[in-house]
Amino acid sequence: MIQFLSTRGLGPMACSLSQLTRNIRVHSIQCIKLSKSLHREPLEHGIRRAFATVTTSSVGAETGRANANRDPMFRWKIDLVGDKIYAEDKLSSNKVSIPGRWLRDICSCSSCRNRDTAQRQINVFHPTFADACKISKIQSIDSPSGRAFQVTFKDGHQSLILAIRLEQRHAHEQALHRAGQTDMTFWDSDISKQPPVVNYQAVRDGPGMAELMRKIQEFGFCFVSEMPVDPSKTESFLQSVGPIRNTHYGGFYDFTSDLSMKDTAYTSEALEPHTDTTYFTEPAGLQALHLLSHTSGSNVGGRTWEDGLGGESILVDGFAAAQKLLSQDENAYQLLSTVGVYGHASGNQGISIQPSRGFPTISHHPETGLIEQVRWNNADRAGVIASWNILDAWYDAAAKFDGLLHDQKNQYEFQLKPGTLLRM
Ligand SMILES: [Zn+2]
């Protein structure tokens, strides 16, 4: 669970809706989910193949086959020349030099690493450590963890380096593993037939937590059912998922549509599809909404809602919209993936927030090429970092994306209810 949060590099943020008063007719919240990953080849490798999903199991199977076929001790011919190690890849005849500093740097023995925290306790950059990084002997051995090199350094230190480390150092599979890649499901309005949900009790007691994390990763959101209608229970539940990130709104907060904070989220106005906190360099990765009370009434905007007013909401799958944009117009996708856009938060006394740079609407993981994030907030958008000669084309591309987000076929409409938490 913590692994999931740390790989996203983001903490959760929480709020709850409460005390919607009778004079408020409707409260709409529309969000595009953030941070759902799917497979995408880097742009230069052809964006047609961008959205073939990668499953964890297939990656694992591929890695297993590769390891069986390419036992690194047979694949790599290791030579010690002077105090330098050379490894020749017999498959490609590539010969590479393996830095002694790297070998010493990754030593996992108890004097090089703290056994409790796995933190490094040596500094290979320090001049006094120069000899400690030169190699006097290397031999291959079978260790309980697999084939390995026993490396002896000039200071007498011995390191056991698993041979697989040579292959994993810069491998695509390793990057996927670090990114916490899991199966993804893209959805449209049909998700209303079976939206992802986990039970509060199951999460609180343990086994449901992994399911909650997996469903958020797979769908970009998940409901938690049978929550106590009590803000303190909501807060402690969220803290069990991870530390709550503080913002200028607070970390966890109750609010009603009274414009107590100067943001249209604090009104009963319908909001356009958007992602939140685009004005942060690191937007909130996970958010939670728990509607605590409705107002009475049953018909808003020509639609009949089951229970009173408030909490009428729409979710759009931002990654699915990006996928559709790519299939319709590659150039538009390219523009939204490369042109930086600023956001701002300026409405409140003493608060003026902008990200450290303009971020593209659609961004990708630099190593894996996976789509990593969609940032979209028409209301909070500030400067678009496009030169004059492409600015009009950027507006065309953004209009296409906006059209996909507003297309009812892509929207999941629902009403938040007391006792059901929305996690996204
Ligand atoms: Zn060591």
PDB file of all heavy atoms in Angstrom, residues 66 79 241 248 275:
ATOM      1  N   ALA A  66      13.334 -15.183 -20.363  1.00  0.00           N
ATOM      2  CA  ALA A  66      14.596 -14.554 -20.741  1.00  0.00           C
ATOM      3  C   ALA A  66      15.715 -15.038 -19.835  1.00  0.00           C
ATOM      4  O   ALA A  66      16.812 -15.349 -20.288  1.00  0.00           O
ATOM      5  CB  ALA A  66      14.456 -13.034 -20.644  1.00  0.00           C
ATOM      6  N   ASP A  79      36.033 -10.484 -17.762  1.00  0.00           N
ATOM      7  CA  ASP A  79      37.500 -10.428 -17.705  1.00  0.00           C
ATOM      8  C   ASP A  79      37.935  -9.338 -16.752  1.00  0.00           C
ATOM      9  O   ASP A  79      37.358  -8.245 -16.743  1.00  0.00           O
ATOM     10  CB  ASP A  79      38.078 -10.090 -19.094  1.00  0.00           C
ATOM     11  CG  ASP A  79      38.003 -11.282 -20.028  1.00  0.00           C
ATOM     12  OD1 ASP A  79      38.258 -12.400 -19.552  1.00  0.00           O
ATOM     13  OD2 ASP A  79      37.672 -11.070 -21.210  1.00  0.00           O
ATOM     14  N   VAL A 241      -4.801   4.442   4.870  1.00  0.00           N
ATOM     15  CA  VAL A 241      -4.281   4.252   3.505  1.00  0.00           C
ATOM     16  C   VAL A 241      -2.904   4.890   3.376  1.00  0.00           C
ATOM     17  O   VAL A 241      -1.994   4.344   2.756  1.00  0.00           O
ATOM     18  CB  VAL A 241      -5.254   4.858   2.465  1.00  0.00           C
ATOM     19  CG1 VAL A 241      -4.680   4.755   1.058  1.00  0.00           C
ATOM     20  CG2 VAL A 241      -6.605   4.164   2.540  1.00  0.00           C
ATOM     21  N   HIS A 248      -3.289  24.250   0.998  1.00  0.00           N
ATOM     22  CA  HIS A 248      -3.847  25.514   1.488  1.00  0.00           C
ATOM     23  C   HIS A 248      -5.319  25.372   1.856  1.00  0.00           C
ATOM     24  O   HIS A 248      -5.893  26.267   2.468  1.00  0.00           O
ATOM     25  CB  HIS A 248      -3.639  26.640   0.476  1.00  0.00           C
ATOM     26  CG  HIS A 248      -4.230  26.383  -0.883  1.00  0.00           C
ATOM     27  ND1 HIS A 248      -3.836  25.321  -1.668  1.00  0.00           N
ATOM     28  CD2 HIS A 248      -5.174  27.040  -1.585  1.00  0.00           C
ATOM     29  CE1 HIS A 248      -4.508  25.347  -2.805  1.00  0.00           C
ATOM     30  NE2 HIS A 248      -5.332  26.376  -2.778  1.00  0.00           N
ATOM     31  N   THR A 275      -9.112  17.866 -13.686  1.00  0.00           N
ATOM     32  CA  THR A 275      -8.303  17.266 -12.628  1.00  0.00           C
ATOM     33  C   THR A 275      -7.980  18.369 -11.637  1.00  0.00           C
ATOM     34  O   THR A 275      -7.885  19.542 -11.997  1.00  0.00           O
ATOM     35  CB  THR A 275      -6.993  16.650 -13.158  1.00  0.00           C
ATOM     36  OG1 THR A 275      -6.207  17.680 -13.764  1.00  0.00           O
ATOM     37  CG2 THR A 275      -7.270  15.558 -14.171  1.00  0.00           C
TER      38      THR A 275
END
